[in-house]
Structures are given as structure tokens and as C-alpha cells.
Amino acid sequence: MNNTIPIPTRPIRKFVPEDIIIDSWDKIKSLFDNLVAREISSALELEKWMLDRSELEAVLEEDMAWRYIKMNIDTTDKALGERFSFWIKEISPNTAPYSHKLNLKLLESPYLKEL
């Protein structure tokens, strides 16, 4: 009997570039702008929009989590602390207003009730 469990692999990204390195707000601002400005004219398009938003949020959460973990593993490495601080000072405050806009866009979509 085979008792091995397959290790899950990360799905291939469809919206966020695979090779993105988040070292400035400008690297991800256009992705948020895309979601805010995107025209949604069907339930299928709304579903795609939601998947893209979810992917972006997952990438950002994972990046922040790794910064936090690495900073706490080696507290003597100041660069790791600075990378986490950069996230808290530069990325996090910029995502909050977009999250609000995206929540409103979702709630105001006439196609939401079709999902």
C-alpha cells in the first residue's frame, strides 16, 4: 500500500506575473488599477474578475507572510526587518483604499446574484 501524500503545487498564475518581485508599490498598482477599471458585462466576467482579485490578494498575503517569517527567523539580519517594514509602510497602506473600491465594485455588480 502506498502511504505517500502528494505535495500540493501552487497553481499557475493567470493574472499576477509569475516572476513579480514586490519591491515597490508601482509593481502592483497597475494590477489594482486593472481590477478597478475593468468592465464587467456578464456573470462569467465577474467570476474571472473575482478569480484575478483573489490571486492578487493571495500573492500579496504570501509575500508579506514570508517577509514576516524570515524577519523572525533571523532577528540579527537588519535587511530582513527592513523588507518587512517596507511592506507595512509602503504596500499595506496603498492596498487598503483599493480593497474598499473593489468591495464596492463587487457588491454593486448586477451579475453578483447570478453567481
Side-chain angles (χ1 to χ4, degrees):
M1 182 172 178
N2 185 357
N3 289 330
T4 60
I5 299 172
I7 297 173
T9 56
R10 180 178 58 77
I12 294 172
R13 294 182 189 159
K14 296 179 171 103
F15 180 62
V16 179
E18 288 284 349
D19 60 350
I20 194 165
I21 296 171
I22 304 169
D23 55 9
S24 73
W25 169 245
D26 290 338
K27 292 265 181 90
I28 55 174
K29 182 182 184 300
S30 63
L31 297 170
F32 280 100
D33 288 338
N34 172 301
L35 292 171
V36 168
R38 189 183 303 177
E39 290 293 323
I40 298 170
S41 29
S42 69
L44 192 61
E45 287 179 6
L46 178 60
E47 184 175 4
K48 169 76 170 99
W49 180 89
M50 291 171 69
L51 289 169
D52 289 347
R53 179 184 180 183
S54 178
E55 180 181 290
L56 175 57
E57 290 173 348
V59 167
L60 295 177
E61 287 173 21
E62 180 180 5
D63 191 283
M64 186 194 66
W66 277 116
R67 289 172 192 246
Y68 180 78
I69 290 166
K70 289 176 182 179
M71 174 187 73
N72 283 293
I73 287 174
D74 184 356
T75 58
T76 63
D77 189 335
K78 298 297 175 209
L80 295 175
E82 289 167 5
R83 282 179 41 82
F84 182 73
S85 291
F86 162 79
W87 187 274
I88 299 302
K89 293 176 184 172
E90 301 295 326
I91 303 299
S92 229
N94 284 307
T95 61
Y98 278 96
S99 290
H100 180 68
K101 288 178 191 175
L102 297 174
N103 287 340
L104 289 176
K105 183 174 181 126
L106 175 63
L107 291 173
E108 292 170 358
S109 173
Y111 305 103
L112 182 58
K113 64 184 176 295
E114 295 179 34
L115 297 182

